[in-house]
Amino acid sequence: MKDLHFDNRFVEQLPADPDTKNARRQVHNACYSLVNPTPVSSPQLVSYASEAAALIDLSESDCNSGEFLQIMAGNSIAGGSQPYAMCYGGHQFGNWAGQLGDGRAINLGEVTNKSAQHWTLQLKGAGETPYSRTADGLAVLRSSIREYICSEAMHHLGVPTTRALCLLTTGEQVMRDIMYDGHPAAEPGAIVCRMAPSFIRFGNFQIFAARDQLTELRQLADFTIRHYFPHLLEQHSVGEPEIYAAWFAEVCGSTVSMIVDWMRVGFVHGVMNTDNMSIHGLTIDYGPYGWLDNFDPEWTPNTTDAQHRRYRYNQQPNIALWNLYQLANSLYPLIEDTKPLETALEQMQVDYQHQWRLMMAGKLGLEQYQHGDEMIFEKLEKLLAVIETDMTIFYRLLSEKTITGVEDLLEAYYRPEQITDRYRSDMASWLHSYQARLSDDSRPHRERLQAMQKVNPKYIFRNYLAQQAIDKSEQGDHSMVNELLQLVRQPYVEQPGMQQYAAKRPDWARSKVGCSMLSCSS
Ligand code: AMP
Ligand code: MG
């Protein structure tokens, strides 16, 4: 395997935990603790994503090498790598949880590619760290498959996300009580290597603000700006309140764009705790996430959240705002003025509404958003929720042919018996107003459909597909993992022979664990 070039900016430029023993503890005044992955008995590569590998100049043969496998399993440390776990805190389900940190994620460091871009490599499930609290530092195959494929699926859908380089099984058995109901069982252990510019989260700043460790707060903020928002240095200098305010406004902006994309493709993150919010506006930490099958804006896949449904689909923009408020509170000591923070938060809400409208206009093939179009969008969302309608199939049908009535949409309905006369006429009247609105646009019909097909995916990583791949993999057959990875590479393009993966959720998956409900156990 060719050498990876490490540029360990995070560990070299930020304060370290002086204690280097690997024992659980509260870590003060430090951004990270140095810790090596725990070696595993018999790692086996399940899959690698060649596009992610290419980002760090690794070829197919590099990824198939024994050296690659040993590094990705944590059994050997690549030359130049200085593995570390990050210290962060966070609000979990609305409550301040104190120190969390990388409890099972170990960063190998930042690798530079031939274009001098930096990619942080991180092994998830690589063993205990000082932040492991009461847990084992490991990850199971089930949740690792979900994270691995979904990261790449989101990337190919055009949704900002952390990437996944590879997935391997460790040969270890890991105990998990999937539904937290007193039935623990052994599952295959696994590791995913994730990639991102950095894995810095809102919680990395929150922990310093909460502990009143303002020197470290400033150091981390300056580091983040210098390396990831360097254009801000053209207008301001580090240390000036304005630069932190401008940076916060950018974080608001990228977070908004990410959420709008989630709404576009029907993604529900499931655990939007502040420790799961990337400072880069990337989708991060794929846990009990899910995809809307039938368009139910109140749906959450996360059983832990079943009661309050804090993280349900249509709540995501509000939660993003709430999380940004928490970040604003943490950055306040650097600015000492609430005004610019409030302005950014207000702007974020305006931007969200604006971008949501543009996104919906795009899904419906409108050349431009016009005042009043929101009525069409809102009516449609109501209709989609009245009877069980597959969101992805509905929009795709609309992107593929002229729809004149319910008859043309039958493929999208889960329970055609729910179609009443009332529904039929409401849908007819919506289609009528939609067609009327389209006649204001000069774009030819074919071109419009082509544009719609670029924002309305044909293939999403449906919850039940993930579960099917998991069931097979747990039996030792990883073929479906690779087949799905291949599928999600071109989510907007009709793929011959792949029709079964565009189908709506089958009835058996309606209320099956893993398909429509997931716990945080991973
Ligand atoms: P999550 O809900 O997965 O974002 O995790 C919340 C916190 O729990 C983070 O600090 C994780 O590092 C930690 N955590 C989750 N699972 C484990 C595990 N198996 N071992 C150690 N820490 C974990
Ligand atoms: Mg997390």
Side-chain angles (χ1 to χ4, degrees):
M1 188 181 112
K2 73 174 78 69
D3 286 345
L4 294 168
H5 300 284
F6 283 90
D7 177 11
N8 298 316
R9 305 188 296 197
F10 197 88
V11 293
E12 281 163 13
Q13 298 174 20
L14 289 168
D17 173 7
D19 188 349
T20 52
K21 74 174 178 303
N22 189 0
R24 293 157 170 79
R25 60 180 171 271
Q26 291 292 308
V27 173
H28 287 274
N29 303 93
C31 288
Y32 66 91
S33 305
L34 290 171
V35 57
N36 282 341
T38 303
V40 299
S41 59
S42 53
Q44 286 192 344
L45 189 65
V46 172
S47 177
Y48 63 89
S50 46
E51 303 86 343
L55 295 171
I56 48 169
D57 307 330
L58 292 183
S59 66
E60 308 261 332
S61 75
D62 290 330
C63 295
N64 283 307
S65 69
E67 200 184 341
F68 178 83
L69 179 63
Q70 294 305 325
I71 291 171
M72 295 306 153
N75 283 355
S76 71
I77 306 295
S81 159
Q82 266 186 294
Y84 63 97
M86 292 200 286
C87 180
Y88 56 79
H91 281 87
Q92 297 185 312
F93 298 94
N95 303 306
W96 175 243
Q99 178 181 304
L100 295 168
D102 287 330
R104 56 166 164 180
I106 296 184
N107 301 277
L108 299 181
E110 296 114 288
V111 168
T112 55
N113 65 15
K114 54 179 183 261
S115 318
Q117 290 165 326
H118 286 69
W119 285 96
T120 303
L121 303 192
Q122 184 186 76
L123 305 183
K124 184 165 173 180
E128 291 176 29
T129 77
Y131 308 95
S132 296
R133 297 180 296 154
T134 58
D136 57 12
L138 304 175
V140 294
L141 180 57
R142 154 176 66 81
S143 58
S144 304
I145 289 175
R146 286 170 48 81
E147 171 134 27
Y148 174 70
I149 302 178
C150 201
S151 310
E152 290 302 289
M154 293 286 265
H155 165 71
H156 293 295
L157 282 163
V159 183
T161 178
T162 61
R163 302 292 299 272
L165 175 60
C166 65
L167 165 68
L168 56 90
T169 50
T170 59
E172 315 290 340
Q173 294 289 303
V174 175
M175 291 302 283
R176 287 291 181 269
D177 184 0
I178 299 192
M179 295 314 288
Y180 302 121
D181 59 359
H183 295 92
E187 299 188 41
I191 294 176
V192 172
C193 179
R194 310 197 285 191
M195 291 172 49
S198 90
F199 290 90
I200 300 172
R201 303 141 190 270
F202 292 8
N204 291 72
F205 303 95
Q206 284 185 285
I207 191 73
F208 292 131
R211 289 169 164 174
D212 213 18
Q213 294 167 355
L214 301 187
T215 306
E216 292 78 11
L217 173 68
R218 188 175 289 279
Q219 278 178 296
L220 181 61
D222 291 352
F223 175 88
T224 305
I225 292 170
R226 252 193 214 106
H227 296 304
Y228 304 108
F229 298 80
H231 50 279
L232 296 175
L233 296 164
E234 290 164 18
Q235 307 256 329
H236 313 281
S237 312
V238 289
E240 289 174 10
E242 291 76 16
I243 200 164
Y244 305 110
W247 166 50
F248 178 70
E250 287 205 11
V251 178
C252 290
S254 60
T255 303
V256 163
S257 303
M258 172 187 78
I259 303 282
V260 171
D261 270 326
W262 290 1
M263 304 309 271
R264 171 172 66 85
V265 297
F267 178 80
V268 188
H269 183 285
V271 206
M272 288 178 72
N273 292 335
T274 54
D275 53 304
N276 291 339
M277 297 293 291
S278 150
I279 202 70
H280 308 292
L282 302 171
T283 313
I284 190 173
D285 280 11
Y286 292 88
Y289 68 83
W291 297 80
L292 291 185
D293 288 311
N294 56 302
F295 183 78
D296 175 1
E298 305 293 317
W299 185 70
T300 174
N302 184 355
T303 52
T304 313
D305 192 26
Q307 198 187 355
H308 300 292
R309 283 179 293 140
R310 178 180 172 87
Y311 298 141
R312 61 190 183 271
Y313 173 77
N314 66 355
Q315 186 69 4
Q316 298 187 116
N318 291 331
I319 292 293
L321 175 65
W322 192 91
N323 289 343
L324 285 162
Y325 259 102
Q326 308 316 313
L327 180 62
N329 281 331
S330 301
L331 300 184
Y332 173 78
L334 305 178
I335 304 172
E336 291 187 320
D337 179 5
T338 55
K339 195 88 195 107
L341 294 166
E342 279 162 7
T343 305
L345 290 164
E346 274 159 28
Q347 188 60 39
M348 180 250 169
Q349 295 167 76
V350 173
D351 289 348
Y352 178 77
Q353 198 175 43
H354 177 67
Q355 287 189 37
W356 184 82
R357 288 173 176 173
L358 293 182
M359 178 276 282
M360 287 299 287
K363 274 180 95 66
L364 292 176
L366 307 180
E367 255 189 305
Q368 266 163 5
Y369 166 78
Q370 280 175 18
H371 182 66
D373 286 344
E374 66 276 13
M375 295 294 287
I376 296 179
F377 308 155
E378 282 159 20
K379 276 198 183 127
L380 174 61
E381 292 215 319
K382 283 213 177 82
L383 267 176
L384 291 180
V386 173
I387 67 171
E388 285 178 40
T389 314
D390 191 272
M391 174 184 175
T392 305
I393 297 178
F394 178 90
Y395 282 105
R396 193 68 189 190
L397 286 172
L398 223 52
S399 317
E400 285 173 348
K401 56 186 185 185
T402 305
I403 306 291
T404 55
V406 165
E407 279 58 41
D408 299 322
L409 292 166
L410 290 180
E411 210 185 311
Y413 298 121
Y414 280 89
R415 298 192 156 163
E417 68 274 16
Q418 291 176 330
I419 301 170
T420 58
D421 290 346
R422 170 79 193 274
Y423 175 84
R424 207 178 278 278
S425 85
D426 287 350
M427 182 51 91
S429 113
W430 183 82
L431 286 167
H432 184 77
S433 51
Y434 173 48
Q435 289 301 335
R437 170 64 184 82
L438 288 182
S439 61
D440 293 349
D441 277 3
S442 57
R443 183 160 56 173
H445 181 61
R446 265 178 58 92
E447 266 180 42
R448 173 166 55 242
L449 294 187
Q450 278 167 2
M452 288 169 76
Q453 288 173 25
K454 290 184 179 144
V455 291
N456 292 310
K458 174 94 183 176
Y459 309 100
I460 53 168
F461 185 48
R462 288 180 186 267
N463 314 314
Y464 83 89
L465 293 176
Q467 191 56 41
Q468 285 179 322
I470 289 165
D471 289 343
K472 281 193 180 175
S473 259
E474 287 181 344
Q475 301 305 313
D477 171 7
H478 304 305
S479 58
M480 195 168 166
V481 169
N482 284 302
E483 198 169 318
L484 289 176
L485 178 66
Q486 182 57 23
L487 177 83
V488 302
R489 288 185 159 125
Q490 292 200 298
Y492 298 106
V493 179
E494 183 91 40
Q495 299 177 38
M498 294 296 188
Q499 185 53 35
Q500 78 272 23
Y501 292 135
K504 57 182 173 252
R505 177 198 61 215
D507 222 37
W508 59 259
R510 178 173 286 270
S511 50
K512 190 177 185 298
V513 173
C515 298
S516 58
M517 48 175 160
L518 290 134
S519 75
C520 286
S521 155
S522 58

